[in-house]
Structure formats: structure tokens, C-alpha cells
Amino acid sequence: MPKKKKTTRKKGRRTRIKSRKSVSRKPTRKRVKRALRRTSASFPLKKPKGTFDILPEEEKYWQLIRENSEEIAKLYGFKRIDVPIFEQRELFERGVGPDTDIVEKELYTFKDKSGREYALRPEFTASIVRAYIENGMHKWPQPIKLFAIGPLFRYDRPQKGRYRQFYQFNLEVIGSIDPLIDAELIKVVLRIYETFGLEALNLEINSIGCAKCRPEYIKILKDYYKIHTRSLCRDCKRRLKTNPLRLLDCKEDKCSQLANRAPSMVDNLCDDCHIHFKKVLEYLDELGIGYNLNTRLVRGLDYYTKTVFEIWPKGVMGFSSQNSLGGGGRYDLLVKELGGKEMPAVGFAGGIERTIEEMKRQEVMIKEEKPDVFLAQIGDGGKKRALRFYDELIEAGFNVSANFSKDSIKSQLRLADKEGVKWSLIIGQKEAIDKTVIFRNMESGMQEIIDQGKAIKELKKRIKKESI
Ligand code: AMP
């Protein structure tokens, strides 16, 4: 009978006591390999929780968002910037704010081999501002308009529209205090969403004041909540001490009701912030952009000042930051906070996953690129000639589809049909010897024999005629 392993009960769980022998055993390469073999058989490898694969059939959405956002941004004078995926941990602590959820709970941090502390970027703005300062961009003509796109990382609770690795397109305008810049950025953002085929979206807007007027408002807000502390959720009780503004966007029922009746920042703005916000709204009116003044909109990052805004899907009721497609605002103090000269700025970040979900919900049709031609082959001679002809077609600029692993002409033509190709070119044994190629019109089924030397010219002529 095999010997029973010694176990003990600790807090209701069975814990195995390591034998002295197993403690002293070193993980030699052989042992590690054996253990890996054992675990790989019983536990197939999986993607990390909160991450996802972008499969080929989804790529059309990603490609459209990547291309259109960058193209529109460029039209409005934004230049592309790429920043590291990881940065000094301190950058986000100082930039995003130590009392924000992002820094408090969601940073992916690690030490490298030299013991330096780093964090995977949870957002773009802090990194871009760091790059602005480090590369002396304040000496360039201001304002600087920058566009970035890529993955970000937050140790969030994964759920629909909330991932641990997610993607954003991002726009920043650094170096201008003019309220026109806020309105212009909003215009560019809405123009970008329009090119994704999304119906008119809702723009929610608010002002959260500046270092001069916000402290006074926070006092008023705290006084209001102090009477209701017992009704607050656990998170809000804590936030009341660390980050009272965040009480306004809590989604818990009771907190939400209290927030609806809370004093608003817009009623407590200093003259400077009041004028700024009024001008932003005037410019939006001038541009014909509708908005909803949402006094509960505060955003989850500490660096915001004055204007804050979010883009929401049409028809989404209630207040749930989970539904916002993107958000942004002014951050006039961040450049100085991170060691640069005082430099006002405004930015926006759009979440790509939620945008794709919304595109699917609104059933946005994306025109997919179809191959121009399918190249089929029969027999060994046909296959050899087709292999070379394949490259010739590609060099001539055609988008060619083929499947050389299939020998049956029937299954090859079925594939061509499935891909919606108008023309199939077929090279069999006979055509290989005669130096010809069969042109098959997939719609009518009519076939013609053409000289291989004239095939490319002929195909170009036919495709061009059809596209007119
Ligand atoms: P934020 O950087 O928090 O201002 O968020 C801007 C946008 O990024 C949001 O409106 C979402 O579309 C998207 N976003 C933020 N966090 C996540 C996440 N964990 N998963 C997916 N999208 C996210």
C-alpha cells in the first residue's frame, strides 16, 4: 500500500507538510523539465486573466480604428508619438495620483534585476508628458499636438468592457490655455468616432475647477457628505478622506442618489475657471456640437483641472463610467508636477475594445477587402507553374488567393466562391505545357484560354473595367 502523505488542517484547508527531503531538493534543469511535462499535460496553457487574443476575423475593426484615428489626428496637425510600455513606477504615482484607483489598486509593478521599480503603463498622458519634458519639447512651437495608440495595463476586475490589457487611441495638446483648444480637441475626437461609422454619440462635459477653487469646493462637498456618511458604501467612506471628488461618480445606488443632490463644482468655480468653461461651451455651440452638462463627471485621474469630458454611446441611460467610450480633459498642472515648466494642456483617451463593442451593437458594416483573383492548379506540372505565376501576380499588384495544399479543382473553386472572387485563373498540366491559363468567370461559369504572357495585362483590363 502506498504511504499516506502527512497533512495538517489549517483554516479548514488541507495543507501538505513539506518533507525535509523535498525542501532541500534543488530545482535542477531535469526536475524542472519533468515538472513542466507533467503540468502541461493536465493544465493546457491559457492567456492571462483579463487579456484576449485578437483573431483574424476581428482585425477589420482594429485596422479601421487604428487607421482612421491616426489619419484624422494627422489631418488636424497631430504627430505620432510612441512611448515605452513600462516606466518608472514613480511617474504614475506622481502623475496619475497616489489616491486614485489606478495607482492604489491597479498598477502592474515589478522590479528589474538591478532592483529599480517599474510599472506597466496604465495610461498614456503621464508618459507623454514625461517625454515632452525629457525631450525639451517646450522649446518647439507651442502647442504640441501628439497622437499615440497602443496597449495599457490595469489590474482591474475583468468584466465586459473592462480588461487587464486594453487599448486606447490618445490625443494630447500641450502648451495652450485657450478654451478654444478644448473645444477643438472635442471636435477632432467626435470626427474620429464619426469615421468609425458610429451614430451621434453623447458628449458629457463638466468643469472640476483648479487649484484655487477646488479646495474650497471639496470643503463644501465634505460638509455635505459628513451628514450622510452612514449611507455611503465602504469605498466612498474611504474616498471621503482620500479623494472626495470620486464620491460623485460612485455607481452604488445609495451613493448615487446622494451624489445627485450634492453641491456641484460648476456653481463654485473661481472667475478664471468660470470664464474658461463658459468659453468652451460657447465654442462648442459655435461648432454645432451638442453636449450634456454632467455635474457628476469627475474622471478617475488626479491630474485633471477645469474641463473634463466623456464620450458615451447613444441611448445609454444612467451614470456608469463602464459605458464611456473615452474620456479626457485639461491637465494644466501636470507638466510642472512632473518637473517641467508650467505648461497647460488638454487630452483625450478612447478605449478601443468598447468602441468595437459599440460598433457591433450598432451593426456597423465594414467593407472587407476581397482578393482580386483566385489561382487554382491541377497536377504536378500545373502546381509548379502556378507557384511562379502566384509571385508574378503579386508583383503586378493583385491581391491573390490560392490554396496549394488542395489538389481537387472542385474544392479550390468552392474556396474561390466562398471568398467572393470574380475571377479564377486555372493552370493544369496542359496549360503548363501550352503556356496558357484558363480565365474562369465565377459568376457566369464561362471559361476562356489566354496566353500566360498576356494574362496579367488581360486581368488588369477586366478588373479595371469592372471597377468603373
Ligand atoms: P481612462 O484612461 O480611465 O480615462 O479611460 C478612458 C477610456 O479607456 C474609457 O472610457 C474606456 O473606454 C477605456 N478603458 C479604461 N479602462 C479600461 C479597461 N480596464 N478595459 C477596457 N477599456 C478601458
Side-chain angles (χ1 to χ4, degrees):
M1 222 178 107
K3 261 192 189 170
K4 262 196 172 173
K5 292 223 169 79
K6 214 173 163 189
T7 60
T8 180
R9 283 196 171 273
K10 192 180 171 190
K11 286 191 183 161
R13 283 170 66 198
R14 269 175 110 75
T15 316
R16 185 179 298 164
I17 295 178
K18 287 179 186 161
S19 73
R20 196 172 278 194
K21 204 172 161 198
S22 74
V23 171
S24 64
R25 283 179 104 191
K26 278 192 186 142
T28 62
R29 193 174 289 219
K30 209 167 151 191
R31 269 188 216 125
V32 170
K33 270 192 178 166
R34 208 183 309 138
L36 277 176
R37 257 202 310 276
R38 239 181 287 131
T39 48
S40 62
S42 44
F43 299 108
L45 294 174
K46 286 189 173 166
K47 59 185 179 295
K49 196 173 167 187
T51 67
F52 52 87
D53 301 308
I54 307 171
L55 299 178
E57 66 260 29
E58 288 284 302
E59 283 292 348
K60 60 182 177 202
Y61 294 100
W62 291 84
Q63 193 179 340
L64 182 111
I65 292 176
R66 264 187 238 122
E67 288 177 3
N68 289 11
S69 57
E70 185 161 1
E71 195 186 312
I72 299 295
K74 275 189 179 157
L75 284 178
Y76 284 96
F78 287 78
K79 301 262 187 289
R80 167 106 187 202
I81 184 167
D82 286 283
V83 286
I85 281 190
F86 66 99
E87 297 265 6
Q88 279 176 285
R89 177 184 179 151
E90 194 190 332
L91 171 67
F92 303 114
E93 285 169 345
R94 278 170 56 188
V96 180
D99 298 324
T100 57
D101 280 355
I102 294 177
V103 167
E104 232 177 27
K105 305 179 193 165
E106 297 169 4
L107 267 193
Y108 272 96
T109 54
F110 63 97
K111 275 188 187 168
D112 74 359
K113 287 183 179 163
S114 67
R116 286 189 201 99
E117 293 213 43
Y118 290 107
L120 297 183
R121 62 183 185 199
E123 58 113 45
F124 276 117
T125 308
S127 300
I128 291 176
V129 168
R130 195 262 314 129
Y132 174 92
I133 299 166
E134 200 172 337
N135 294 288
M137 287 190 218
H138 63 278
K139 292 185 205 135
W140 305 3
Q142 306 292 305
I144 306 268
K145 294 176 164 185
L146 298 167
F147 171 87
I149 189 163
L152 303 145
F153 306 85
R154 291 182 196 172
Y155 189 77
D156 215 334
R157 192 151 32 96
Q159 52 193 288
K160 194 167 179 282
R162 200 165 281 277
Y163 305 95
R164 288 183 175 171
Q165 175 174 333
F166 61 98
Y167 293 72
Q168 285 181 346
F169 62 90
N170 191 91
L171 296 106
E172 311 287 351
V173 187
I174 310 177
S176 173
I177 187 70
D178 196 327
L180 181 79
I181 300 290
D182 309 28
E184 199 201 13
L185 176 69
I186 292 172
K187 180 192 72 183
V188 177
V189 166
L190 290 174
R191 179 80 196 94
I192 288 175
Y193 280 108
E194 229 175 78
T195 69
F196 300 158
L198 290 173
E199 293 264 296
L201 301 164
N202 290 341
L203 165 66
E204 305 278 317
I205 196 163
N206 192 19
S207 173
I208 55 169
C210 66
K212 212 158 63 185
C213 53
R214 202 187 307 158
E216 190 53 41
Y217 169 67
I218 300 265
K219 260 192 226 154
I220 299 170
L221 195 65
K222 274 183 163 175
D223 287 346
Y224 165 78
Y225 274 110
K226 264 180 199 152
I227 323 164
H228 305 287
T229 315
R230 289 178 64 190
S231 314
L232 293 173
C233 72
R234 196 144 43 107
D235 268 351
C236 280
K237 277 183 186 141
R238 183 178 49 83
R239 284 182 192 135
L240 190 55
K241 290 186 195 120
T242 58
N243 199 354
L245 270 190
R246 289 312 305 265
L247 269 77
L248 293 174
D249 75 353
C250 181
K251 277 136 251 152
E252 293 289 330
D253 244 7
K254 275 192 178 165
C255 302
S256 187
Q257 282 168 24
L258 283 173
N260 282 336
R261 297 194 298 269
S264 74
M265 182 73 231
V266 279
D267 293 331
N268 291 280
L269 294 173
C270 61
D271 285 351
D272 187 24
C273 289
H274 178 82
I275 293 168
H276 185 97
F277 194 45
K278 201 167 144 250
K279 287 251 178 218
V280 173
L281 300 183
E282 276 171 17
Y283 287 129
L284 289 177
D285 288 338
E286 190 63 33
L287 289 164
I289 296 172
Y291 53 80
N292 175 34
L293 177 62
N294 183 342
T295 55
R296 286 183 54 191
L297 185 67
V298 290
R299 318 270 307 122
L301 304 100
D302 271 2
Y303 50 63
Y304 285 116
T305 47
K306 293 191 166 83
T307 320
V308 285
F309 64 97
E310 279 184 359
I311 308 294
W312 285 24
K314 199 179 178 192
V316 170
M317 304 296 287
F319 197 97
S320 154
S321 63
Q322 208 166 303
N323 292 318
S324 72
L325 299 179
R330 272 210 161 263
Y331 51 93
D332 292 342
L333 307 174
L334 186 62
V335 181
K336 189 158 185 224
E337 173 62 39
L338 294 180
K341 287 191 167 167
E342 196 166 317
M343 204 50 97
V346 57
F348 173 82
I352 298 188
E353 294 77 9
R354 290 189 204 173
T355 301
I356 292 177
E357 271 164 33
E358 185 56 18
M359 286 167 80
K360 288 182 182 167
R361 197 179 73 86
Q362 293 193 19
E363 295 176 3
V364 172
M365 298 287 286
I366 299 177
K367 214 172 140 211
E368 279 183 87
E369 224 180 85
K370 269 198 267 176
D372 302 313
V373 61
F374 189 93
L375 180 61
Q377 32 70 37
I378 318 165
D380 195 44
K383 191 176 268 188
K384 278 182 189 150
R385 178 62 192 111
L387 211 54
R388 270 187 288 127
F389 196 51
Y390 188 46
D391 289 340
E392 289 166 25
L393 285 168
I394 287 175
E395 267 166 39
F398 292 108
N399 181 348
V400 194
S401 177
N403 189 330
F404 288 96
S405 67
K406 291 215 183 305
D407 292 330
S408 135
I409 185 68
K410 222 169 140 187
S411 58
Q412 290 181 67
L413 292 181
R414 214 179 296 131
L415 254 176
D417 244 348
K418 217 167 136 190
E419 292 184 3
V421 175
K422 169 90 185 278
W423 292 100
S424 280
L425 305 191
I426 308 165
I427 303 180
Q429 302 276 38
K430 187 171 175 301
E431 288 74 32
I433 294 165
D434 291 353
K435 297 198 169 39
T436 55
V437 53
I438 300 172
F439 270 51
R440 183 185 172 93
N441 184 319
M442 297 300 292
E443 282 163 12
S444 64
M446 298 280 282
Q447 297 195 163
E448 288 165 77
I449 296 173
I450 310 271
D451 278 348
Q452 279 175 18
K454 293 182 185 152
I456 288 183
K457 209 169 157 194
E458 190 56 38
L459 187 66
K460 268 190 187 158
K461 212 158 73 188
R462 291 178 190 212
I463 291 179
K464 198 174 167 195
K465 206 153 73 187
E466 283 149 16
S467 66
I468 293 171

